Amino acid sequence: MGTDDLIVWRPTNGRWYARDANGTQLVNFVQWGRFFDTPVVGDFDNDGKADFGIWRPHKKQWFAKAADNTVLFTNVGLGGHSDTPLFMTLTQ
């Protein structure tokens, strides 16, 4: 199992930035999200690596993109404006 990397999401431009613990730049300027979105991270494609997720509460929509910029899903409806996005594996 790998180690976690440092990731920030900048809501002013919807961009993700990532570095590993050694300071090596892993991702720069991945555009994914808008100002009022909630950034989420999960392994949405089951490849053992974290993917970039966005939850848009005012529209009840989820979006996910892999680190290689492959879009995994868009406009998946679930939740409401005051909900909190969470991740857990419910199926095997």
Side-chain angles (χ1 to χ4, degrees), residues 2-92:
T3 59
D4 288 331
D5 300 308
L6 305 172
I7 301 173
V8 296
W9 180 72
R10 191 164 295 153
T12 56
N13 63 9
R15 293 177 185 252
W16 297 73
Y17 305 85
R19 292 185 186 267
D20 66 15
N22 296 321
T24 303
Q25 184 172 306
L26 301 173
V27 176
N28 186 24
F29 304 120
V30 172
Q31 175 66 45
W32 198 239
R34 297 180 186 164
F35 184 75
F36 291 105
D37 292 343
T38 300
V40 293
V41 177
D43 183 8
F44 301 114
D45 58 1
N46 199 29
D47 66 355
K49 298 177 184 177
D51 302 308
F52 302 98
I54 290 294
W55 182 52
R56 194 163 288 155
H58 65 284
K59 292 197 173 191
K60 304 173 188 164
Q61 296 172 323
W62 291 79
F63 305 84
K65 181 187 280 192
D68 67 1
N69 274 334
T70 301
V71 175
L72 302 173
F73 57 81
T74 61
N75 298 319
V76 174
L78 177 67
H81 182 70
S82 62
D83 292 343
T84 300
L86 301 172
F87 296 96
M88 61 189 290
T89 302
L90 296 176
T91 58
Q92 299 257 346

